[in-house]
Amino acid sequence: MSETASQRLNQIDQGFFNEPVDFRSEVIYFIIVDRFCDGHSQLSSDIEGSEQEESKGLYDRTQQDWGKYWGGNLQGIINKIPYLKSLGVTSLWLSPLFEQVSDLQFSRAPMHGYWTRDFKRLNPRFLKKDESTRLSESATLRLLIDSCHRAGIKVVLDIVCNHSSPDINGSKGVVLDDGVPLADFNDDVNNFYYHEGEITDWEDEYQLIHLEMMGLATFNEKNIAYRDYIKSAIKGWLDAGVDALRVDTLKHMPIWFWQEFTTEMKSHKPGLFMFGEYGFSKPWEQRSVDYANNIGMSILDFGLCDGIRFCFSGQEPGGFYQVERILGYDRVYHRANELVTFIDNHDMPRFLSAVPDEQLLDLAMVLLLTLRGVPCLFYGTEQYLRNDTNGGQDPYNRPMMDRWDEESHSFQLVQALLSLRERNQALAFGSHHTAWVNESFYLYTRNFRDSAVLVMMNRSDSEHVASVDNIQFPDGTYTCHLTGYPVTISNGKLEHYVVNGKTALVISVEGAPVTGQVVAVFQVNGFETKPGQSLAITGSCQELGAWDHDRAFGMEYVNDNTWLATVPFDASTGSLVNYKFLVRQDADYPILENLTTRKLVLPEQGRIAVDCFWGQST
């Protein structure tokens, strides 16, 4: 191999570890940019294109017309970064920032960001007057990303690859390539779009992929020119400093497209975390599970969202059994602990519109922030934001953020829970153990290494007396992080403990975090262990036992299909490590994977995540 080729290979190897790649410790805050905060003056002269926009009726400064722009912008987000930092969120998911069509459809403007005109330019309505909309030239975008990063907050961009814009006054699907005309649905000489009408059967896979969702011009992903355009566009945003991607409408494009797209994005930005919207996915629906397991990105957990909402709304019976039912399916996912969890979003009524009880929202937030997965808060939830017009359906689930009270009960509840998530690794990595569940009372623990969190919750109006055995939590007397009440665990039992109605208690044991020059979070799926079995990692370096099976690094149980270990490396940093997984058995010789070895180039320092599937080397 030539010196140049060798140097290039080394650069590629090291490039894969430029940034931490584990998103399980993150907490996401989802912002509709237009409805969060106006950081500009309300004078029309300060608004980009104000006279033209006002004449078209795209803006409503009175914030009464729910289909129009209300004035939120990137400067408004920058101004509120201290608030978000104080709350404890670590990632901001921003609604799409792309340049949109500049017209109304039935009195609706594209304030949501999903009617894109140019995927390589910014929406000027989110910028200062006369500011360039080119990614490389926008001072406000640069300031936003830099300000977030200085605060330790990642930026997650919402992207849509499935469609552009609907028919608006005779124009449909007009797309530019950094200002240069590229495609037009009504003059589609380059075959950028499908032309097969709207979806009528939402269970028909062909219709989902080829037909239009709500009249939106649907891209033809078979066209390599389209694929090259959309991939180059999103790479530009990653180059601008975006840290992660939320991907719209997964179910409407084929698996092979997402595999290609994800591979290119992660090759361009190694360690990139991506999660997508497979609308209304359920773990018992195989197609959505296939997408979650096979496209290289995580998905939004609609199943758990429904379970939590049904638990408190009573729309379906079962109470906390609704939540347990969903968690019981975790084994079908390769990475259930990377599913992005939520209790409401921009496509459904806010939680308080469905369950008009702030105490029950508090309980739902405790569930969201202590169960497995990467939790995502919809903007304003921490201030009980809501509008119940038309049952809170779209667009009334998108009110303007109107409170920033850091002393409010709801803010401090979320703040306390996010602080705990930061300190206790059991909430990011741990297994889930239910000690007691019925329709109204729930007691569970999250356990990882020497860390543990215990949650008990009573959703009924009356008090519940808890006497529970076999709690997987160290004995001792603890103080609840939410109420300040003492809780005593003795011999693995909770004896005659009174939990008031509509109350949650959370106690914690915070073990010492794993430290090393490099910490690698290994996760393996695909081997369902039986009683008496556990997994471990054996390998070529001292940290993994130097192939001595008795010294292999033990892994932690997460669920029936998932084991995880955080391994510290000091002696082997910067080197190539060979390794494989084995199954320890009480009385028998270990079961080893039937493959040669896996290979991993360790960085010199930092934290990495290594996701594997039993018996598969890639």
Side-chain angles (χ1 to χ4, degrees):
M1 181 181 295
S2 69
E3 182 179 356
T4 301
S6 177
Q7 290 173 343
R8 175 60 181 155
L9 179 59
N10 183 63
Q11 289 171 356
I12 291 173
D13 286 340
Q14 293 306 314
F16 275 90
F17 308 106
N18 286 339
E19 298 290 341
V21 295
D22 196 335
F23 225 77
R24 283 166 287 205
S25 298
E26 301 292 329
V27 177
I28 303 170
Y29 188 91
F30 174 28
I31 289 174
I32 302 292
V33 176
D34 179 68
R35 300 298 165 87
F36 189 63
C37 180
D38 183 356
H40 300 159
S41 165
Q42 290 298 309
L43 295 174
S44 61
S45 59
D46 294 330
I47 308 301
E48 169 63 29
S50 58
E51 294 181 3
Q52 180 182 7
E53 302 296 348
E54 294 288 2
S55 68
K56 289 184 177 181
L58 294 176
Y59 278 96
D60 176 21
R61 301 297 173 198
T62 68
Q63 300 183 356
Q64 300 299 310
D65 191 329
W66 289 75
K68 297 182 179 178
Y69 287 98
W70 284 2
N73 45 53
L74 298 190
Q75 185 62 50
I77 298 171
I78 294 168
N79 293 351
K80 296 302 180 183
I81 288 175
Y83 168 88
L84 297 166
K85 178 70 173 176
S86 177
L87 182 62
V89 298
T90 63
S91 297
L92 293 186
W93 161 10
L94 304 179
S95 60
L97 302 181
F98 310 117
E99 179 183 320
Q100 301 291 293
V101 296
S102 188
D103 208 342
L104 294 172
Q105 184 194 57
F106 309 121
S107 78
R108 293 176 299 170
M111 47 71 55
H112 42 67
Y114 296 102
W115 298 350
T116 303
R117 182 171 182 262
D118 195 328
F119 286 85
K120 295 185 178 180
R121 294 202 176 184
L122 283 149
N123 189 337
R125 297 155 192 89
F126 299 154
L127 304 175
K128 296 177 182 178
K129 185 178 180 181
D130 298 328
E131 181 176 351
S132 173
T133 61
R134 303 192 71 181
L135 297 186
S136 61
E137 298 174 359
S138 170
T140 304
L141 178 64
R142 181 75 267 149
L143 179 60
L144 170 66
I145 292 172
D146 289 347
S147 298
C148 285
H149 290 171
R150 283 194 295 270
I153 296 174
K154 296 180 174 65
V155 177
V156 183
L157 178 67
D158 196 329
I159 68 171
V160 53
C161 301
N162 174 67
H163 60 261
S164 55
S165 57
D167 189 317
I168 303 176
N169 299 322
S171 176
K172 180 175 180 177
V174 175
V175 173
L176 307 182
D177 182 354
D178 201 14
V180 178
L182 178 68
D184 185 333
F185 182 90
N186 293 326
D187 185 21
D188 194 13
V189 294
N190 294 319
N191 196 30
F192 256 63
Y193 292 103
Y194 289 116
H195 297 264
E196 301 193 34
E198 292 194 36
I199 298 170
T200 58
D201 181 356
W202 291 82
E203 301 302 318
D204 185 319
E205 183 171 19
Y206 181 89
Q207 290 196 28
L208 287 179
I209 291 175
H210 296 86
L211 274 63
E212 295 176 356
M213 178 182 64
M214 302 172 64
L216 293 159
T218 299
F219 286 121
N220 173 15
E221 73 284 337
K222 297 173 186 174
N223 185 333
I224 186 60
Y226 159 70
R227 300 207 306 275
D228 287 345
Y229 167 70
I230 197 67
K231 288 184 290 188
S232 67
I234 304 309
K235 288 176 184 178
W237 289 87
L238 297 177
D239 291 342
V242 166
D243 301 287
L245 299 174
R246 181 268 185 185
V247 185
D248 194 53
T249 53
L250 288 183
K251 69 195 294 182
H252 298 282
M253 302 186 82
I255 281 180
W256 69 259
F257 169 81
W258 292 121
Q259 290 170 334
E260 176 183 318
F261 182 81
T262 303
T263 298
E264 286 228 17
M265 294 305 105
K266 293 188 175 184
S267 295
H268 189 75
K269 190 179 183 73
L272 177 70
F273 182 72
M274 301 172 64
F275 64 100
E277 175 212 38
Y278 189 106
F280 311 106
S281 60
K282 303 293 187 295
W284 51 84
E285 295 174 352
Q286 190 58 46
R287 187 175 186 266
S288 66
V289 174
D290 288 343
Y291 272 65
N293 288 344
N294 296 311
I295 64 174
M297 72 175 88
S298 185
I299 66 171
L300 287 154
D301 193 350
F302 280 86
L304 186 59
C305 175
D306 283 350
I308 294 175
R309 287 168 72 99
F310 291 157
C311 169
F312 294 106
S313 70
Q315 182 179 343
E316 291 192 8
F320 287 116
Y321 289 118
Q322 287 279 350
V323 178
E324 276 287 288
R325 179 193 184 200
I326 298 297
L327 297 177
Y329 279 90
D330 277 2
R331 66 188 184 279
V332 307
Y333 294 109
H334 292 174
R335 296 172 298 278
N337 55 13
E338 287 186 356
L339 297 174
V340 175
T341 57
F342 61 103
I343 57 174
D344 52 14
N345 67 16
H346 58 318
D347 290 326
M348 63 181 67
R350 285 178 175 265
F351 187 93
L352 279 176
S353 293
V355 185
D357 186 322
E358 292 179 355
Q359 288 180 287
L360 294 183
L361 173 56
D362 289 348
L363 299 187
M365 287 195 290
V366 173
L367 280 177
L368 175 67
L369 298 175
T370 59
L371 290 175
R372 62 97 180 109
V374 182
C376 177
L377 288 166
F378 195 26
Y379 78 98
T381 299
E382 77 285 1
Q383 298 290 350
Y384 297 144
L385 183 66
R386 67 194 276 197
N387 185 292
D388 294 334
T389 305
N390 194 30
Q393 295 282 354
D394 175 14
Y396 301 102
N397 53 0
R398 307 169 186 180
M400 198 72 187
M401 184 78 170
D402 59 1
R403 290 189 301 277
W404 316 91
D405 183 3
E406 297 190 25
E407 302 300 320
S408 70
H409 165 76
S410 52
F411 182 96
Q412 294 191 349
L413 170 67
V414 173
Q415 187 181 54
L417 290 167
L418 297 193
S419 176
L420 180 61
R421 282 191 67 89
E422 182 180 18
R423 299 193 310 273
N424 195 314
Q425 58 189 338
L427 292 177
F429 303 118
S431 54
H432 176 100
H433 301 278
T434 297
W436 182 267
V437 62
N438 62 25
E439 289 193 9
S440 297
F441 186 76
Y442 201 16
L443 194 158
Y444 58 88
T445 61
R446 301 286 311 285
N447 301 81
F448 184 73
R449 295 174 59 92
D450 53 352
S451 297
V453 172
L454 181 149
V455 179
M456 51 182 152
M457 186 176 301
N458 178 11
R459 73 178 184 93
S460 70
D461 292 323
S462 57
E463 65 183 25
H464 178 93
V465 179
S467 293
V468 183
D469 297 338
N470 300 316
I471 298 175
Q472 296 195 26
F473 202 84
D475 288 352
T477 297
Y478 306 93
T479 300
C480 171
H481 287 268
L482 306 182
T483 65
Y485 298 163
V487 179
T488 298
I489 307 294
S490 178
N491 297 317
K493 299 179 181 180
L494 185 69
E495 299 279 4
H496 305 295
Y497 192 85
V498 176
V499 181
N500 295 330
K502 296 182 178 178
T503 297
L505 294 100
V506 178
I507 60 175
S508 170
V509 171
E510 297 161 20
V514 172
T515 59
Q517 285 182 244
V518 173
V519 175
V521 183
F522 289 87
Q523 182 167 296
V524 62
N525 302 96
F527 192 101
E528 294 197 21
T529 49
K530 301 174 182 177
Q533 293 181 325
S534 64
L535 267 72
I537 314 170
T538 185
S540 59
C541 60
Q542 291 298 318
E543 292 92 338
L544 300 179
W547 296 119
D548 182 344
H549 298 162
D550 292 334
R551 294 170 50 217
F553 196 97
M555 304 187 76
E556 300 288 321
Y557 172 89
V558 177
N559 61 50
D560 290 344
N561 185 35
T562 306
W563 288 73
L564 188 148
T566 50
V567 183
F569 290 93
D570 290 303
S572 307
T573 58
S575 64
L576 173 67
V577 173
N578 294 286
Y579 69 100
K580 65 194 306 183
F581 298 97
L582 60 81
V583 180
R584 288 172 169 162
Q585 305 185 94
D586 285 345
D588 296 325
Y589 196 75
I591 301 170
L592 281 91
E593 285 187 288
N594 185 23
L595 47 77
T596 52
T597 64
R598 304 172 186 272
K599 298 181 184 297
L600 173 66
V601 177
L602 291 171
E604 295 291 344
Q605 61 183 4
R607 186 180 183 93
I608 62 173
V610 185
D611 288 333
C612 305
F613 198 85
W614 175 269
Q616 298 179 10
S617 58
T618 57

